[in-house]
Amino acid sequence: MKKIFLFITALLMLASCGVQKAEDNGKIDVYASFYPVYDFARTIGGDDINLSAVVRSGAEPHGFEPTAADIAKISESDVFLYHGNGTDAWAEKIAETLPDSVMKVRLSDADTIAKGDAHTWLSLQNAEGELEAVCKALTEADENGENDAKYSDRLNDYTAKLDALKAEYDAANLTAVPLAAAHDAYRALCYETAMNYLPIDSVTGGEPSPAQLAEVVKSIKDKGAKYIFYDPIDGDKLAESAAREAGIETAELYAFEGDNENRDYETVMRFNLEQLKKSK
Ligand SMILES: [Zn+2]
């Protein structure tokens, strides 16, 4: 009886080893600093990579600090993708300390619009460049050549979707339409659409005093903004107080810094277009 028990235990141990091996099935391990980077890697890599995000998808990324355990995991990965320009400042710092065995890719290096801004992925043209940079990185890092065509097919399909969406943004003719936003995330988007940008938190440096708020509200009224936009991930407190002062409404606009619904970039930017059209 004891022998049979030991035999079964040994079988179970073998089986569990087998399961662990099946999970590590030769795919490359990719870490993405935060949500837009994670989403772009998911779009290109699909099921052919093991992908993890360091900042969880529903979290606001500014001010995030990685734990020692986070850094240890990234150090053992094949590819570390980060954005650069400040929103994932922690990633920029740790990229310099990671071992040579980890390929480090700074996606904002591929930007062509509003270069250096902290939220450049909100330009569709920049997003296309960043997706291309992800595709190049995965192709280089992945020794399984069969995946190369899958990565480039996904890039081509998604770029076509973004080109179509860009044509819809152009057709909406948002030139000079005011975009008032609680969080200063839409500089690149306004550069691309030629919208009249009125950010609140950069003008006042975070929580505005009553006098500062009054000054921003005056310019929002002068420019004829219909809404003050906020991203639900930041909460609506600042937008609500500014909108109350201005006598206008608040509305949602996503900066895609994180997403509670785990949506992809094209879906969110399509929603944003409908919100911006209401501003005309
Ligand atoms: Zn931000």
Side-chain angles (χ1 to χ4, degrees), residues 149-223:
K150 291 195 252 180
Y151 298 148
S152 64
D153 284 352
R154 289 182 194 125
L155 174 66
N156 292 337
D157 289 350
Y158 208 77
T159 301
K161 280 170 86 173
L162 294 186
D163 281 344
L165 182 57
K166 178 131 189 4
E168 289 182 46
Y169 267 84
D170 291 345
N173 189 19
L174 297 164
T175 302
V177 172
L179 192 169
H183 178 44
D184 182 8
Y186 305 96
R187 218 161 271 279
L189 176 64
C190 286
Y191 188 89
E192 187 165 77
T193 56
M195 294 184 79
N196 189 355
Y197 188 39
L198 303 161
I200 297 176
D201 70 357
S202 76
V203 177
T204 60
E207 280 290 298
S209 70
Q212 287 170 323
L213 187 60
E215 197 179 316
V216 181
V217 163
K218 186 180 179 303
S219 75
I220 286 169
K221 282 164 100 171
D222 289 349
K223 300 285 192 310

Coordinates of all heavy atoms in Angstrom, one line a residue, residues 149-223:
A149 N 6.4 36.5 -39.8 CA 5.3 36.8 -40.7 C 4.1 37.2 -39.9 O 3.3 38.1 -40.3 CB 5.1 35.7 -41.6
K150 N 3.8 36.5 -38.8 CA 2.7 36.8 -38.0 C 2.8 38.2 -37.4 O 1.8 39.0 -37.4 CB 2.5 35.8 -36.8 CG 2.1 34.4 -37.4 CD 1.6 33.5 -36.3 CE 2.6 32.4 -35.9 NZ 2.1 31.6 -34.8
Y151 N 4.0 38.6 -36.9 CA 4.2 39.9 -36.3 C 3.9 41.0 -37.4 O 3.2 42.0 -37.2 CB 5.6 40.1 -35.7 CG 5.9 39.1 -34.6 CD1 7.2 38.7 -34.4 CD2 5.0 38.7 -33.7 CE1 7.6 37.8 -33.3 CE2 5.3 37.9 -32.6 CZ 6.6 37.4 -32.5 OH 6.9 36.6 -31.4
S152 N 4.5 40.8 -38.6 CA 4.4 41.8 -39.6 C 3.0 41.9 -40.2 O 2.5 42.9 -40.5 CB 5.4 41.7 -40.7 OG 5.3 40.5 -41.4
D153 N 2.3 40.7 -40.2 CA 0.9 40.7 -40.7 C 0.0 41.5 -39.7 O -0.8 42.3 -40.1 CB 0.3 39.3 -40.8 CG 0.8 38.6 -42.0 OD1 1.5 39.2 -42.9 OD2 0.6 37.3 -42.1
R154 N 0.2 41.3 -38.4 CA -0.6 42.0 -37.4 C -0.3 43.5 -37.5 O -1.2 44.3 -37.3 CB -0.3 41.5 -36.0 CG -0.8 40.1 -35.8 CD -0.6 39.6 -34.3 NE -0.8 38.2 -34.2 CZ 0.1 37.3 -33.7 NH1 1.3 37.7 -33.3 NH2 -0.2 36.0 -33.7
L155 N 1.0 43.9 -37.7 CA 1.4 45.3 -37.8 C 0.6 45.9 -39.0 O 0.0 47.0 -38.9 CB 2.9 45.5 -38.0 CG 3.4 46.9 -38.3 CD1 3.1 47.8 -37.1 CD2 4.8 46.9 -38.7
N156 N 0.7 45.2 -40.2 CA 0.0 45.7 -41.4 C -1.5 45.9 -41.2 O -2.1 46.9 -41.6 CB 0.3 44.9 -42.6 CG 1.8 44.9 -43.0 OD1 2.5 45.9 -42.6 ND2 2.3 43.9 -43.6
D157 N -2.1 44.9 -40.6 CA -3.6 44.9 -40.3 C -4.0 46.1 -39.4 O -4.9 46.9 -39.7 CB -4.1 43.7 -39.7 CG -4.1 42.5 -40.6 OD1 -3.8 42.7 -41.8 OD2 -4.3 41.3 -40.2
Y158 N -3.2 46.3 -38.4 CA -3.5 47.3 -37.4 C -3.2 48.7 -37.9 O -4.0 49.6 -37.7 CB -2.8 47.0 -36.1 CG -3.6 47.6 -34.9 CD1 -4.6 46.9 -34.3 CD2 -3.2 48.8 -34.2 CE1 -5.3 47.4 -33.2 CE2 -3.9 49.3 -33.1 CZ -5.0 48.6 -32.6 OH -5.6 49.0 -31.6
T159 N -2.1 48.8 -38.7 CA -1.8 50.1 -39.3 C -2.9 50.5 -40.2 O -3.3 51.7 -40.3 CB -0.4 50.0 -40.0 OG1 0.6 49.7 -39.0 CG2 0.0 51.3 -40.6
A160 N -3.4 49.6 -41.0 CA -4.5 49.9 -41.9 C -5.8 50.4 -41.1 O -6.4 51.4 -41.6 CB -4.9 48.6 -42.7
K161 N -6.0 49.8 -40.0 CA -7.2 50.3 -39.1 C -6.9 51.7 -38.6 O -7.8 52.5 -38.6 CB -7.4 49.3 -37.9 CG -8.1 48.1 -38.2 CD -8.1 47.1 -37.0 CE -9.2 47.4 -36.0 NZ -9.2 46.3 -35.0
L162 N -5.7 51.9 -38.2 CA -5.3 53.3 -37.7 C -5.3 54.3 -38.8 O -5.7 55.5 -38.6 CB -4.0 53.3 -37.0 CG -3.9 52.5 -35.7 CD1 -2.6 52.7 -35.0 CD2 -5.0 52.8 -34.7
D163 N -4.9 53.9 -40.1 CA -5.0 54.8 -41.2 C -6.4 55.2 -41.5 O -6.7 56.4 -41.7 CB -4.4 54.2 -42.5 CG -2.9 54.2 -42.5 OD1 -2.3 54.9 -41.7 OD2 -2.3 53.4 -43.3
A164 N -7.3 54.2 -41.4 CA -8.8 54.5 -41.6 C -9.3 55.4 -40.5 O -10.1 56.4 -40.8 CB -9.5 53.2 -41.6
L165 N -8.9 55.2 -39.3 CA -9.4 56.1 -38.2 C -8.8 57.5 -38.4 O -9.5 58.5 -38.1 CB -8.9 55.5 -36.9 CG -9.4 56.2 -35.6 CD1 -10.9 56.4 -35.6 CD2 -8.9 55.5 -34.3
K166 N -7.5 57.6 -38.8 CA -6.9 58.9 -39.0 C -7.7 59.7 -40.1 O -7.9 60.9 -40.0 CB -5.5 58.7 -39.5 CG -4.7 60.0 -39.8 CD -3.4 60.1 -39.1 CE -2.7 61.5 -39.1 NZ -3.4 62.5 -39.8
A167 N -8.2 59.0 -41.1 CA -9.0 59.6 -42.2 C -10.3 60.1 -41.6 O -10.8 61.2 -42.0 CB -9.3 58.6 -43.3
E168 N -10.8 59.4 -40.6 CA -12.1 59.9 -39.9 C -11.8 61.1 -39.1 O -12.7 62.0 -39.0 CB -12.7 58.7 -39.1 CG -13.3 57.6 -39.9 CD -13.9 56.5 -39.0 OE1 -14.7 56.9 -38.1 OE2 -13.7 55.4 -39.3
Y169 N -10.7 61.1 -38.4 CA -10.3 62.3 -37.6 C -10.2 63.5 -38.6 O -10.7 64.6 -38.3 CB -9.0 62.1 -36.9 CG -9.1 61.6 -35.5 CD1 -9.3 60.2 -35.2 CD2 -9.1 62.5 -34.4 CE1 -9.4 59.8 -33.9 CE2 -9.2 62.0 -33.1 CZ -9.4 60.7 -32.8 OH -9.5 60.2 -31.5
D170 N -9.5 63.3 -39.7 CA -9.3 64.4 -40.7 C -10.7 64.9 -41.2 O -10.9 66.1 -41.3 CB -8.4 63.9 -41.9 CG -7.0 63.7 -41.5 OD1 -6.6 64.1 -40.3 OD2 -6.3 63.0 -42.2
A171 N -11.6 63.9 -41.5 CA -12.9 64.3 -42.0 C -13.7 65.0 -41.0 O -14.6 65.8 -41.4 CB -13.6 63.0 -42.5
A172 N -13.5 64.8 -39.7 CA -14.2 65.5 -38.7 C -13.8 67.0 -38.6 O -14.6 67.8 -38.0 CB -14.0 64.8 -37.3
N173 N -12.7 67.3 -39.2 CA -12.2 68.7 -39.3 C -12.3 69.4 -37.9 O -13.2 70.3 -37.7 CB -13.0 69.5 -40.3 CG -12.4 70.9 -40.6 OD1 -11.2 71.1 -40.2 ND2 -13.2 71.8 -41.1
L174 N -11.4 69.0 -37.0 CA -11.4 69.6 -35.7 C -10.5 70.8 -35.5 O -10.3 71.3 -34.4 CB -11.0 68.5 -34.7 CG -11.9 67.2 -34.6 CD1 -11.2 66.0 -34.0 CD2 -13.2 67.5 -33.9
T175 N -10.0 71.3 -36.6 CA -9.1 72.5 -36.6 C -9.7 73.6 -35.7 O -10.9 74.0 -36.0 CB -8.9 73.0 -38.0 OG1 -8.3 71.9 -38.7 CG2 -7.9 74.2 -38.0
A176 N -8.9 74.1 -34.8 CA -9.3 75.2 -33.9 C -10.4 75.0 -32.9 O -10.8 75.9 -32.2 CB -9.5 76.5 -34.7
V177 N -11.0 73.8 -32.9 CA -12.0 73.4 -31.9 C -11.3 73.3 -30.5 O -10.3 72.7 -30.4 CB -12.7 72.1 -32.3 CG1 -13.6 71.6 -31.2 CG2 -13.4 72.2 -33.6
P178 N -11.9 74.0 -29.5 CA -11.2 73.9 -28.2 C -11.3 72.6 -27.5 O -12.3 71.9 -27.6 CB -12.0 75.0 -27.4 CG -13.2 75.4 -28.1 CD -13.1 74.8 -29.5
L179 N -10.1 72.1 -27.0 CA -10.1 70.9 -26.2 C -9.6 71.3 -24.8 O -8.4 71.5 -24.6 CB -9.2 69.9 -26.8 CG -9.3 68.4 -26.3 CD1 -8.5 67.5 -27.2 CD2 -8.7 68.3 -24.9
A180 N -10.5 71.4 -23.8 CA -10.1 71.7 -22.4 C -10.1 70.4 -21.7 O -11.0 69.6 -21.7 CB -11.2 72.6 -21.8
A181 N -8.9 70.1 -21.0 CA -8.7 68.9 -20.3 C -8.2 69.1 -18.9 O -7.3 69.9 -18.7 CB -7.8 68.0 -21.1
A182 N -8.7 68.3 -18.0 CA -8.2 68.4 -16.6 C -6.8 67.9 -16.5 O -5.9 68.6 -15.9 CB -9.1 67.5 -15.7
H183 N -6.4 66.8 -17.2 CA -5.0 66.3 -17.2 C -4.3 66.7 -18.5 O -4.9 66.5 -19.6 CB -5.0 64.8 -17.0 CG -3.6 64.2 -17.0 ND1 -2.5 64.8 -16.3 CD2 -3.1 63.1 -17.6 CE1 -1.5 64.0 -16.5 NE2 -1.8 63.0 -17.3
D184 N -3.1 67.2 -18.4 CA -2.4 67.7 -19.6 C -1.8 66.5 -20.4 O -0.6 66.3 -20.4 CB -1.3 68.6 -19.1 CG -0.5 69.2 -20.3 OD1 -0.9 69.0 -21.4 OD2 0.5 69.9 -20.0
A185 N -2.7 65.8 -21.1 CA -2.3 64.6 -21.8 C -2.4 64.7 -23.3 O -2.0 63.8 -24.0 CB -3.0 63.3 -21.3
Y186 N -3.0 65.8 -23.8 CA -3.5 65.8 -25.2 C -2.7 66.7 -26.1 O -3.3 67.1 -27.1 CB -5.0 66.1 -25.2 CG -5.8 65.1 -24.3 CD1 -6.1 65.5 -22.9 CD2 -6.1 63.9 -24.7 CE1 -6.7 64.6 -22.1 CE2 -6.8 62.9 -23.9 CZ -7.1 63.3 -22.6 OH -7.7 62.4 -21.7
R187 N -1.5 67.0 -25.7 CA -0.7 67.9 -26.5 C -0.4 67.3 -27.9 O -0.6 68.0 -28.9 CB 0.7 68.1 -25.8 CG 1.2 69.5 -25.9 CD 2.3 69.7 -24.8 NE 1.6 70.2 -23.5 CZ 1.3 71.5 -23.3 NH1 1.5 72.4 -24.2 NH2 0.7 71.9 -22.2
A188 N 0.0 66.1 -28.0 CA 0.3 65.4 -29.3 C -1.0 65.3 -30.1 O -1.0 65.5 -31.3 CB 1.0 64.1 -29.1
L189 N -2.1 64.9 -29.5 CA -3.4 64.8 -30.2 C -3.8 66.1 -30.8 O -4.2 66.2 -31.9 CB -4.4 64.2 -29.2 CG -5.8 64.1 -29.8 CD1 -5.9 63.1 -30.9 CD2 -6.8 63.7 -28.6
C190 N -3.6 67.2 -30.0 CA -4.0 68.5 -30.5 C -3.1 69.0 -31.6 O -3.5 69.7 -32.5 CB -4.1 69.5 -29.4 SG -5.5 69.2 -28.3
Y191 N -1.8 68.6 -31.5 CA -0.9 68.9 -32.6 C -1.3 68.3 -33.9 O -1.3 68.9 -34.9 CB 0.6 68.5 -32.2 CG 1.6 69.0 -33.1 CD1 2.2 70.2 -32.9 CD2 2.0 68.2 -34.2 CE1 3.2 70.6 -33.8 CE2 3.0 68.6 -35.1 CZ 3.6 69.9 -34.9 OH 4.5 70.3 -35.7
E192 N -1.7 67.0 -33.8 CA -2.1 66.2 -35.0 C -3.4 66.7 -35.5 O -3.6 66.7 -36.8 CB -2.2 64.8 -34.6 CG -2.4 63.8 -35.8 CD -2.2 62.4 -35.4 OE1 -3.0 61.8 -34.7 OE2 -1.1 61.9 -35.7
T193 N -4.4 67.1 -34.7 CA -5.7 67.5 -35.2 C -5.8 69.0 -35.3 O -6.9 69.5 -35.7 CB -6.8 67.0 -34.2 OG1 -6.5 67.6 -32.9 CG2 -6.8 65.5 -34.1
A194 N -4.8 69.8 -34.9 CA -4.8 71.3 -34.9 C -6.0 71.8 -34.0 O -6.5 72.9 -34.3 CB -5.0 71.8 -36.3
M195 N -6.3 71.1 -33.0 CA -7.3 71.6 -32.0 C -6.6 72.6 -31.1 O -5.4 72.7 -31.0 CB -7.9 70.4 -31.2 CG -8.7 69.4 -32.0 SD -9.4 68.2 -31.0 CE -10.8 69.0 -30.3
N196 N -7.5 73.5 -30.5 CA -7.0 74.6 -29.6 C -6.9 74.0 -28.2 O -8.0 73.8 -27.5 CB -8.0 75.7 -29.7 CG -7.5 76.9 -29.0 OD1 -6.5 76.9 -28.4 ND2 -8.3 78.0 -29.1
Y197 N -5.7 73.8 -27.7 CA -5.5 73.0 -26.5 C -5.6 73.9 -25.2 O -4.8 74.8 -25.2 CB -4.2 72.2 -26.6 CG -4.0 71.2 -25.5 CD1 -5.0 70.5 -25.0 CD2 -2.7 71.1 -25.0 CE1 -4.7 69.5 -24.0 CE2 -2.4 70.2 -24.0 CZ -3.5 69.4 -23.5 OH -3.2 68.5 -22.5
L198 N -6.4 73.5 -24.3 CA -6.5 74.2 -23.0 C -6.4 73.3 -21.8 O -7.4 72.8 -21.2 CB -7.9 74.9 -23.0 CG -8.2 75.9 -24.1 CD1 -9.7 76.1 -24.2 CD2 -7.5 77.2 -23.9
P199 N -5.2 72.9 -21.5 CA -5.0 72.0 -20.3 C -5.1 72.7 -19.0 O -4.7 73.9 -18.9 CB -3.6 71.4 -20.5 CG -2.9 72.5 -21.2 CD -3.9 73.2 -22.1
I200 N -5.7 72.0 -18.0 CA -5.9 72.7 -16.7 C -4.7 72.4 -15.8 O -4.1 73.3 -15.2 CB -7.2 72.3 -16.0 CG1 -8.4 72.8 -16.9 CG2 -7.3 72.9 -14.6 CD1 -9.7 72.3 -16.4
D201 N -4.3 71.1 -15.6 CA -3.3 70.8 -14.6 C -1.9 71.3 -14.8 O -1.1 71.6 -13.9 CB -3.4 69.4 -14.1 CG -2.8 68.4 -15.1 OD1 -2.5 68.8 -16.2 OD2 -2.8 67.2 -14.7
S202 N -1.5 71.5 -16.1 CA -0.2 72.0 -16.4 C -0.1 73.5 -16.2 O 0.8 74.1 -15.7 CB 0.3 71.7 -17.8 OG -0.4 72.6 -18.7
V203 N -1.2 74.2 -16.5 CA -1.3 75.7 -16.4 C -1.2 76.0 -14.9 O -0.5 77.0 -14.5 CB -2.6 76.2 -16.9 CG1 -2.7 77.7 -16.7 CG2 -2.7 75.9 -18.4
T204 N -1.8 75.3 -14.0 CA -1.9 75.6 -12.6 C -0.9 74.8 -11.8 O -0.8 75.1 -10.6 CB -3.3 75.4 -12.1 OG1 -3.6 74.0 -12.3 CG2 -4.3 76.2 -12.8
G205 N -0.3 73.8 -12.4 CA 0.7 73.0 -11.6 C -0.1 72.1 -10.6 O 0.2 72.2 -9.4
G206 N -1.0 71.3 -11.0 CA -1.7 70.3 -10.1 C -3.0 71.0 -9.6 O -3.6 71.7 -10.3
E207 N -3.2 70.8 -8.3 CA -4.4 71.4 -7.7 C -4.4 72.9 -7.8 O -3.6 73.5 -7.1 CB -4.5 70.9 -6.2 CG -5.0 69.5 -6.0 CD -6.5 69.4 -6.3 OE1 -7.3 70.0 -5.7 OE2 -6.9 68.6 -7.3
P208 N -5.3 73.5 -8.5 CA -5.3 75.0 -8.6 C -5.9 75.7 -7.4 O -6.8 75.2 -6.7 CB -6.2 75.2 -9.8 CG -7.1 74.1 -9.9 CD -6.4 72.9 -9.3
S209 N -5.3 76.8 -7.1 CA -6.0 77.7 -6.0 C -7.2 78.3 -6.7 O -7.4 78.3 -7.9 CB -5.0 78.8 -5.6 OG -4.9 79.7 -6.7
P210 N -8.2 78.8 -5.9 CA -9.4 79.5 -6.4 C -9.0 80.5 -7.5 O -9.7 80.6 -8.5 CB -10.1 80.1 -5.2 CG -9.6 79.2 -4.1 CD -8.2 78.8 -4.4
A211 N -8.0 81.3 -7.2 CA -7.6 82.4 -8.1 C -7.1 81.8 -9.5 O -7.4 82.3 -10.5 CB -6.5 83.3 -7.5
Q212 N -6.2 80.7 -9.3 CA -5.7 80.1 -10.5 C -6.8 79.5 -11.4 O -6.8 79.6 -12.6 CB -4.7 79.0 -10.1 CG -3.3 79.6 -9.6 CD -2.5 78.5 -9.0 OE1 -3.0 77.6 -8.4 NE2 -1.2 78.6 -9.3
L213 N -7.7 78.8 -10.6 CA -8.8 78.1 -11.3 C -9.7 79.2 -12.1 O -10.1 79.0 -13.2 CB -9.7 77.4 -10.3 CG -10.8 76.5 -10.9 CD1 -10.3 75.4 -11.8 CD2 -11.7 75.9 -9.8
A214 N -9.9 80.3 -11.4 CA -10.7 81.4 -12.1 C -10.0 81.9 -13.4 O -10.7 82.1 -14.4 CB -10.9 82.6 -11.1
E215 N -8.7 81.9 -13.4 CA -8.0 82.4 -14.5 C -8.1 81.4 -15.7 O -8.4 81.8 -16.8 CB -6.5 82.6 -14.2 CG -5.7 83.4 -15.1 CD -4.2 83.5 -14.7 OE1 -4.0 83.8 -13.5 OE2 -3.4 83.4 -15.5
V216 N -8.0 80.1 -15.4 CA -8.1 79.0 -16.4 C -9.5 79.0 -16.9 O -9.7 78.9 -18.1 CB -7.7 77.7 -15.8 CG1 -7.8 76.6 -16.9 CG2 -6.3 77.7 -15.2
V217 N -10.5 79.1 -16.0 CA -11.9 79.0 -16.4 C -12.2 80.2 -17.3 O -12.9 80.0 -18.3 CB -12.8 79.1 -15.1 CG1 -14.2 79.4 -15.5 CG2 -12.7 77.7 -14.4
K218 N -11.6 81.4 -17.1 CA -11.9 82.5 -18.0 C -11.4 82.2 -19.4 O -12.2 82.5 -20.3 CB -11.2 83.8 -17.4 CG -11.5 85.0 -18.2 CD -10.8 86.3 -17.7 CE -11.2 87.5 -18.5 NZ -10.9 87.3 -20.0
S219 N -10.2 81.6 -19.5 CA -9.7 81.4 -20.9 C -10.6 80.3 -21.5 O -10.8 80.3 -22.7 CB -8.3 81.0 -20.9 OG -8.0 79.8 -20.4
I220 N -11.0 79.3 -20.7 CA -11.9 78.2 -21.3 C -13.2 78.8 -21.8 O -13.7 78.5 -22.9 CB -12.1 77.1 -20.2 CG1 -10.9 76.3 -20.0 CG2 -13.3 76.2 -20.6 CD1 -10.9 75.4 -18.8
K221 N -13.8 79.8 -21.1 CA -15.0 80.4 -21.5 C -14.8 81.3 -22.7 O -15.5 81.3 -23.7 CB -15.6 81.3 -20.4 CG -16.3 80.5 -19.3 CD -16.5 81.3 -18.0 CE -17.9 81.9 -17.9 NZ -18.1 82.5 -16.6
D222 N -13.6 82.0 -22.7 CA -13.3 82.9 -23.8 C -13.2 82.1 -25.1 O -13.6 82.6 -26.2 CB -12.0 83.7 -23.6 CG -12.1 84.8 -22.5 OD1 -13.3 85.1 -22.1 OD2 -11.1 85.3 -22.0
K223 N -12.6 80.9 -25.0 CA -12.4 80.1 -26.2 C -13.6 79.3 -26.6 O -13.6 78.7 -27.7 CB -11.2 79.1 -26.0 CG -9.8 79.8 -25.7 CD -9.2 80.4 -26.9 CE -7.8 80.9 -26.8 NZ -7.4 81.7 -25.7

